[in-house]
Amino acid sequence: MQRKIRVLEPGETLTLRPGEYRRPITAVGLRGSASNRITIRGQSKGWYPEETGDQQEPDPSAEAVLTTGMSAELFRRDANMLARKKQAAGGSPGLYYIADEAMLFLRDCQHVTVENLYFNRCWPTAVYLDNCQDITVRSCQFRWGTYAVGAAGFHTRHLTVEGCRWQQNPDNKGRHWKDFLWFRIHGDLDEENPPDGDGRVSIEEGWRLFDGDFFVGWRIAGFVTLRGNLIEDAFNAIHMFNFTENPRTDLNLNVVVENNRFVRIRDNAMEPEGAAWNWVVRHNVFVDVYRWFGFEVERSGWFYIYGNLAWYTQVPGPDPGADGKPRDDHTGGSVFKFNTKHVADGPTYVFHNSFHLREPIAKKKRFAKLAFFNNAIAFCKAKEGGCTGRPTLFAQGARALAMPHDPAADLAQMYVAEKKRFTKDWEALEIVFDGNFIHGPDRLSHLRAVGYLFGDASSDLDPGFAGPLDATNTSASSFRLDHGAEAAGKSIPFVLKTKNDFQTFKDAGGGNVGAIRDDGSLFQLADEFEWITVKMPPQKTS
């Protein structure tokens, strides 16, 4: 196999016949061209998003299966020991420092396509890309594993992962979501109320083998497209790092996340870290995701989040004990997770999305230049399908929400208040909430009274989703608006800018608030972002 890969030339294809491949495959210096790509593929047709139902075990008689052959239980103890050693050395406990131990390793490669392969029980990593450009991973399945696709290198760019399926933990379908304590996968020494009292990784009780991602980028240049993937029963989905201190402006750029489906994600569906710019997040579906957007970034700008649908069916984590107290501190969640300090080089636009929520939009901290408009949101009703009936959109409780805001206070005082609630410093931070229909436990009059400066076109009326919105029957089509719905035809006009004013997008308003238009298609801008390399047609709800 290694000899065959080593001599591949532009335009050539290496086809892996059905069977199990237990030796790691390494490709170094493969150079295709834009018009004559090198392809490494399985003989089977691979996986396509149109396929529904449970992910099937691989069949080596019909498809090429890359595997370590090691079960999760066998790897679990090793993973916990490795994470604990990293923690003992002063680092964050995890397997990221051995992520380059992959079943398919590409280094210094260009213009290569990997397709129609099945990666099963690849611990810790299935595919790893080091200093690569123009790599496509398509129609592959991933089952078990810490990382599906990892990428590293300051010059790694133009990566596409499309039409792939990853079920990180297929065991009993949902066990990852319901049975494991969040701390056992990701907790550290600074965690409040650790189950063992001191925050150290437990060799016997830990589940560190699952502390990973579908796609993770460690300080790569960018131009990443993640499209049409199904990610299930995982801890994180998309995770991209920059430097936390002094982040580089040439990393974490130009990312497109579109038409993906995220199901039972125990932590974050999307998490840029350090800094990131120029991200488009559109036409995705989030079902049972603890937190959709983990934006703990020091700097960011020019994010466009639109046409997404999200709902929940159940609360994550183990059920409360016999005393009624929760056994897991991480069962709440929120739409956003923000940082204490944030510098906005450009705006973050969140618009024309439709959500059915059980938790706050943002619980605490701040995020500058956030423009949140034309979104349709309905909160669950108390005691309905695990609905917590929380009293606020922007805090961890009514008392925190009511804490006064003094615009003249110094930042240190503001940060203290913002440990328990989302910032009220909207004017200084250029935060705008307008044109939304947010029907939940909070009334707009109360939110305004405690200091949240909602725009004049805001409404707390029910947007009028067609439904059903419940724990078993919700689907994308549930978010179409009923005839005569309050949010129908009420969208406000807007103007979007791109970096350096290279493009301007204008919408005259008067359409539906939320993600779905009258014809059933998801909201789409009239023009495409010019830096996006592959165009996609508008998507319709089923």
Coordinates of all heavy atoms in Angstrom, one line a residue, residues 451-511:
G451 N -32.7 47.1 31.6 CA -31.5 47.6 31.0 C -31.1 47.0 29.6 O -30.1 47.4 29.1
Y452 N -31.9 46.2 29.1 CA -31.6 45.6 27.8 C -32.3 46.4 26.7 O -33.6 46.5 26.6 CB -32.0 44.1 27.7 CG -31.1 43.3 28.5 CD1 -31.5 42.7 29.7 CD2 -29.8 42.9 28.0 CE1 -30.7 41.9 30.5 CE2 -29.0 42.2 28.8 CZ -29.4 41.7 30.0 OH -28.6 40.9 30.8
L453 N -31.5 47.0 25.8 CA -32.0 48.0 24.8 C -32.5 47.4 23.5 O -31.9 47.6 22.5 CB -30.9 49.1 24.6 CG -30.3 49.7 25.8 CD1 -29.2 50.7 25.4 CD2 -31.4 50.5 26.6
F454 N -33.6 46.7 23.6 CA -34.2 46.1 22.4 C -34.7 47.2 21.4 O -35.2 48.2 21.9 CB -35.3 45.1 22.8 CG -34.9 43.8 23.3 CD1 -34.5 43.6 24.6 CD2 -34.8 42.7 22.4 CE1 -34.1 42.4 25.1 CE2 -34.4 41.5 22.9 CZ -34.1 41.3 24.2
G455 N -34.5 46.9 20.1 CA -35.0 47.8 19.1 C -36.5 47.9 19.1 O -37.3 47.0 19.6
D456 N -37.0 48.9 18.4 CA -38.4 49.2 18.3 C -39.2 48.1 17.6 O -40.4 47.9 17.8 CB -38.7 50.5 17.6 CG -38.2 51.7 18.5 OD1 -38.0 51.5 19.7 OD2 -37.9 52.8 17.9
A457 N -38.6 47.4 16.7 CA -39.3 46.4 15.9 C -39.3 45.0 16.6 O -39.7 44.0 16.0 CB -38.7 46.3 14.5
S458 N -38.8 44.9 17.8 CA -38.8 43.7 18.5 C -40.2 43.3 19.0 O -41.0 44.1 19.2 CB -37.9 43.8 19.8 OG -36.6 44.2 19.4
S459 N -40.4 42.0 19.1 CA -41.7 41.5 19.6 C -41.5 40.3 20.5 O -40.6 39.5 20.3 CB -42.6 41.1 18.4 OG -43.8 40.5 18.8
D460 N -42.4 40.2 21.5 CA -42.4 39.0 22.3 C -43.7 38.1 22.0 O -44.0 37.2 22.8 CB -42.3 39.3 23.8 CG -43.4 40.3 24.3 OD1 -44.4 40.4 23.6 OD2 -43.2 40.9 25.3
L461 N -44.3 38.4 20.9 CA -45.4 37.5 20.5 C -44.9 36.2 19.9 O -43.8 36.1 19.4 CB -46.2 38.3 19.4 CG -46.9 39.6 19.9 CD1 -47.6 40.2 18.7 CD2 -47.9 39.3 21.0
D462 N -45.8 35.2 19.9 CA -45.5 33.9 19.3 C -45.3 34.1 17.8 O -46.2 34.6 17.1 CB -46.7 33.0 19.6 CG -46.3 31.5 19.2 OD1 -45.6 31.3 18.3 OD2 -46.9 30.6 19.9
P463 N -44.2 33.7 17.3 CA -44.0 33.9 15.8 C -45.0 33.1 15.0 O -45.2 33.5 13.8 CB -42.5 33.3 15.6 CG -42.2 32.5 16.8 CD -43.0 33.0 17.9
G464 N -45.5 32.0 15.5 CA -46.5 31.3 14.7 C -46.0 30.1 13.9 O -46.4 29.9 12.7
F465 N -45.1 29.4 14.5 CA -44.6 28.2 13.8 C -45.7 27.2 13.6 O -46.6 27.0 14.5 CB -43.5 27.5 14.6 CG -42.3 28.3 14.8 CD1 -41.6 28.4 16.0 CD2 -41.7 29.0 13.7 CE1 -40.4 29.1 16.2 CE2 -40.5 29.7 13.8 CZ -39.9 29.8 15.1
A466 N -45.7 26.5 12.4 CA -46.8 25.5 12.1 C -46.7 24.3 13.1 O -47.8 23.7 13.3 CB -46.6 25.1 10.7
G467 N -45.5 24.0 13.6 CA -45.4 22.8 14.5 C -45.5 21.5 13.7 O -45.5 21.5 12.5
P468 N -45.5 20.4 14.4 CA -45.5 20.4 15.9 C -44.1 20.6 16.5 O -43.1 20.4 15.8 CB -45.9 18.9 16.2 CG -45.4 18.1 15.0 CD -45.6 19.0 13.8
L469 N -44.1 21.2 17.7 CA -42.9 21.4 18.4 C -43.0 20.6 19.8 O -43.5 21.1 20.8 CB -42.7 22.9 18.8 CG -42.5 23.8 17.5 CD1 -42.4 25.3 18.0 CD2 -41.2 23.5 16.8
D470 N -42.5 19.4 19.7 CA -42.5 18.5 20.9 C -41.3 17.6 20.8 O -40.5 17.6 19.9 CB -43.8 17.8 21.0 CG -44.2 16.9 19.8 OD1 -43.3 16.2 19.3 OD2 -45.3 16.9 19.4
A471 N -41.2 16.7 21.8 CA -40.0 15.9 22.0 C -39.9 14.8 20.9 O -38.9 14.2 20.8 CB -40.0 15.3 23.4
T472 N -41.0 14.5 20.2 CA -40.9 13.3 19.3 C -41.2 13.7 17.8 O -40.8 13.0 16.9 CB -41.9 12.3 19.7 OG1 -43.2 12.8 19.8 CG2 -41.5 11.7 21.1
N473 N -41.9 14.8 17.6 CA -42.4 15.1 16.2 C -41.9 16.3 15.5 O -42.2 16.6 14.4 CB -44.0 15.2 16.3 CG -44.6 13.9 16.8 OD1 -44.4 12.8 16.2 ND2 -45.4 14.0 17.9
T474 N -41.0 17.0 16.2 CA -40.4 18.2 15.6 C -39.6 17.9 14.4 O -38.8 16.9 14.4 CB -39.6 19.0 16.6 OG1 -40.4 19.4 17.7 CG2 -39.1 20.3 16.0
S475 N -39.7 18.6 13.3 CA -38.9 18.5 12.1 C -38.6 19.8 11.6 O -39.1 20.9 12.0 CB -39.5 17.6 11.1 OG -40.7 18.2 10.6
A476 N -37.8 19.9 10.5 CA -37.5 21.2 9.9 C -38.8 21.9 9.4 O -38.9 23.1 9.6 CB -36.5 21.0 8.7
S477 N -39.7 21.1 8.9 CA -40.9 21.8 8.4 C -41.8 22.3 9.5 O -42.7 23.1 9.3 CB -41.7 20.8 7.6 OG -42.1 19.6 8.4
S478 N -41.5 22.0 10.8 CA -42.3 22.5 11.9 C -42.1 24.0 12.0 O -42.9 24.7 12.6 CB -41.8 21.9 13.2 OG -42.1 20.5 13.2
F479 N -41.0 24.6 11.4 CA -40.7 26.0 11.6 C -41.2 26.8 10.4 O -40.9 28.0 10.4 CB -39.2 26.1 11.7 CG -38.6 25.5 13.0 CD1 -38.2 24.2 13.0 CD2 -38.6 26.3 14.2 CE1 -37.7 23.7 14.2 CE2 -38.2 25.7 15.3 CZ -37.7 24.4 15.4
R480 N -42.0 26.2 9.5 CA -42.7 27.1 8.6 C -43.8 27.9 9.4 O -44.3 27.4 10.4 CB -43.4 26.2 7.5 CG -42.4 25.4 6.7 CD -43.1 24.7 5.5 NE -43.5 25.7 4.5 CZ -43.7 25.3 3.2 NH1 -43.5 24.1 2.8 NH2 -44.1 26.2 2.3
L481 N -44.1 29.1 8.9 CA -45.0 29.9 9.6 C -46.4 29.6 9.1 O -46.7 29.4 7.9 CB -44.7 31.4 9.3 CG -43.4 31.9 9.9 CD1 -43.2 33.4 9.5 CD2 -43.2 31.6 11.4
D482 N -47.3 29.5 10.1 CA -48.8 29.4 9.7 C -49.3 30.6 8.9 O -48.7 31.7 9.0 CB -49.6 29.3 11.0 CG -49.6 27.9 11.6 OD1 -49.5 26.9 10.8 OD2 -49.7 27.8 12.8
H483 N -50.3 30.3 8.1 CA -50.9 31.4 7.4 C -51.5 32.4 8.4 O -52.1 32.1 9.4 CB -52.1 30.9 6.5 CG -52.8 31.9 5.8 ND1 -52.2 32.6 4.7 CD2 -54.1 32.5 6.0 CE1 -53.1 33.5 4.3 NE2 -54.2 33.4 5.0
G484 N -51.1 33.7 8.2 CA -51.5 34.7 9.1 C -50.7 34.8 10.4 O -51.1 35.5 11.3
A485 N -49.6 34.1 10.5 CA -48.7 34.1 11.7 C -48.2 35.5 11.9 O -48.0 36.3 11.0 CB -47.5 33.2 11.5
E486 N -48.0 35.8 13.2 CA -47.5 37.2 13.6 C -46.2 37.5 12.9 O -46.0 38.7 12.6 CB -47.3 37.2 15.1 CG -48.6 37.2 15.9 CD -49.4 38.5 15.8 OE1 -48.8 39.5 15.3 OE2 -50.6 38.5 16.2
A487 N -45.3 36.6 12.7 CA -44.0 36.9 12.2 C -43.9 36.9 10.6 O -42.9 37.2 10.0 CB -42.9 35.9 12.7
A488 N -45.1 36.6 10.0 CA -45.1 36.5 8.5 C -45.0 37.9 8.0 O -45.8 38.8 8.4 CB -46.4 35.8 8.1
G489 N -44.1 38.1 7.0 CA -44.0 39.4 6.4 C -43.5 40.6 7.2 O -43.7 41.7 6.9
K490 N -42.9 40.3 8.4 CA -42.5 41.3 9.3 C -41.0 41.6 9.4 O -40.6 42.3 10.3 CB -43.0 41.0 10.7 CG -44.5 40.8 10.8 CD -45.2 42.1 10.8 CE -46.7 42.0 10.9 NZ -47.1 41.3 12.2
S491 N -40.2 41.0 8.5 CA -38.8 41.2 8.7 C -38.4 42.6 8.4 O -39.0 43.3 7.6 CB -38.0 40.2 7.7 OG -38.2 40.6 6.3
I492 N -37.4 43.1 9.1 CA -36.9 44.5 8.9 C -35.8 44.5 7.9 O -35.1 43.5 7.7 CB -36.5 45.1 10.2 CG1 -35.3 44.3 10.8 CG2 -37.6 45.1 11.2 CD1 -34.6 44.9 12.0
P493 N -35.7 45.7 7.2 CA -34.6 45.8 6.2 C -33.2 45.8 6.9 O -33.1 46.1 8.0 CB -34.9 47.1 5.5 CG -35.7 47.9 6.5 CD -36.5 46.9 7.3
F494 N -32.2 45.3 6.2 CA -30.9 45.3 6.7 C -29.8 45.5 5.7 O -30.1 45.3 4.5 CB -30.6 44.1 7.5 CG -30.7 42.8 6.7 CD1 -29.6 42.3 6.1 CD2 -31.8 42.0 6.7 CE1 -29.6 41.1 5.3 CE2 -31.9 40.8 6.0 CZ -30.8 40.4 5.3
V495 N -28.6 45.9 6.1 CA -27.4 46.0 5.3 C -26.3 45.2 5.9 O -26.0 45.4 7.1 CB -27.0 47.5 5.0 CG1 -25.7 47.5 4.2 CG2 -28.1 48.2 4.4
L496 N -25.7 44.3 5.2 CA -24.5 43.6 5.7 C -23.3 44.1 5.0 O -23.3 44.3 3.8 CB -24.6 42.1 5.5 CG -25.9 41.4 5.9 CD1 -25.8 39.9 5.6 CD2 -26.1 41.6 7.4
K497 N -22.2 44.2 5.8 CA -20.9 44.6 5.2 C -19.9 43.4 5.3 O -20.0 42.6 6.2 CB -20.3 45.8 5.9 CG -21.2 47.0 5.9 CD -21.0 47.7 4.5 CE -21.6 49.1 4.5 NZ -21.4 49.8 3.2
T498 N -19.0 43.3 4.4 CA -17.9 42.4 4.5 C -16.6 43.2 4.8 O -16.6 44.4 4.8 CB -17.7 41.6 3.2 OG1 -17.3 42.5 2.1 CG2 -18.9 40.8 2.9
K499 N -15.6 42.5 5.1 CA -14.3 43.2 5.5 C -13.8 44.1 4.4 O -13.9 43.8 3.2 CB -13.2 42.1 5.8 CG -12.0 42.6 6.4 CD -11.0 41.5 6.8 CE -9.8 42.1 7.5 NZ -8.8 41.0 7.8
N500 N -13.4 45.3 4.8 CA -12.9 46.3 3.9 C -14.0 46.8 2.9 O -13.7 47.3 1.9 CB -11.7 45.8 3.1 CG -10.5 45.5 4.0 OD1 -10.3 46.1 5.0 ND2 -9.8 44.5 3.6
D501 N -15.3 46.5 3.3 CA -16.4 46.9 2.4 C -16.3 46.4 1.0 O -16.8 47.0 0.0 CB -16.5 48.4 2.4 CG -17.0 49.0 3.7 OD1 -17.6 48.3 4.5 OD2 -16.7 50.2 4.0
F502 N -15.7 45.2 0.9 CA -15.5 44.6 -0.5 C -16.9 44.3 -1.1 O -17.1 44.4 -2.3 CB -14.7 43.3 -0.4 CG -14.3 42.8 -1.7 CD1 -13.2 43.2 -2.3 CD2 -15.0 41.8 -2.3 CE1 -12.8 42.7 -3.6 CE2 -14.7 41.2 -3.5 CZ -13.6 41.7 -4.2
Q503 N -17.8 43.8 -0.2 CA -19.2 43.5 -0.7 C -20.2 44.1 0.3 O -19.9 44.3 1.5 CB -19.5 42.0 -0.8 CG -18.8 41.3 -2.0 CD -19.1 39.8 -1.9 OE1 -18.4 39.1 -1.3 NE2 -20.2 39.4 -2.6
T504 N -21.3 44.5 -0.3 CA -22.4 45.0 0.6 C -23.7 44.2 0.2 O -24.0 44.0 -1.0 CB -22.7 46.5 0.4 OG1 -21.5 47.2 0.8 CG2 -23.9 46.9 1.2
F505 N -24.4 43.7 1.2 CA -25.6 42.9 1.0 C -26.8 43.7 1.5 O -26.7 44.2 2.7 CB -25.6 41.5 1.7 CG -24.5 40.7 1.2 CD1 -23.2 40.7 1.8 CD2 -24.6 39.8 0.1 CE1 -22.2 39.9 1.4 CE2 -23.6 38.9 -0.3 CZ -22.4 39.0 0.3
K506 N -27.8 43.9 0.7 CA -29.0 44.7 1.2 C -30.2 43.8 1.1 O -30.4 43.0 0.1 CB -29.1 45.9 0.4 CG -28.0 46.9 0.5 CD -28.2 48.2 -0.3 CE -27.1 49.2 -0.1 NZ -27.3 50.4 -0.9
D507 N -31.1 43.9 2.0 CA -32.4 43.3 2.0 C -33.5 44.3 2.4 O -33.4 45.0 3.4 CB -32.4 42.1 2.9 CG -33.7 41.2 2.8 OD1 -34.7 41.6 3.3 OD2 -33.6 40.2 2.1
A508 N -34.5 44.4 1.6 CA -35.5 45.4 1.8 C -36.5 45.1 2.9 O -37.3 45.9 3.3 CB -36.3 45.6 0.5
G509 N -36.4 43.8 3.4 CA -37.4 43.5 4.5 C -38.7 43.1 3.9 O -38.9 43.0 2.7
G510 N -39.7 42.9 4.8 CA -41.0 42.5 4.4 C -41.2 41.1 4.1 O -42.3 40.6 3.7
G511 N -40.2 40.3 4.4 CA -40.4 38.8 4.3 C -40.7 38.2 5.6 O -40.9 38.9 6.6

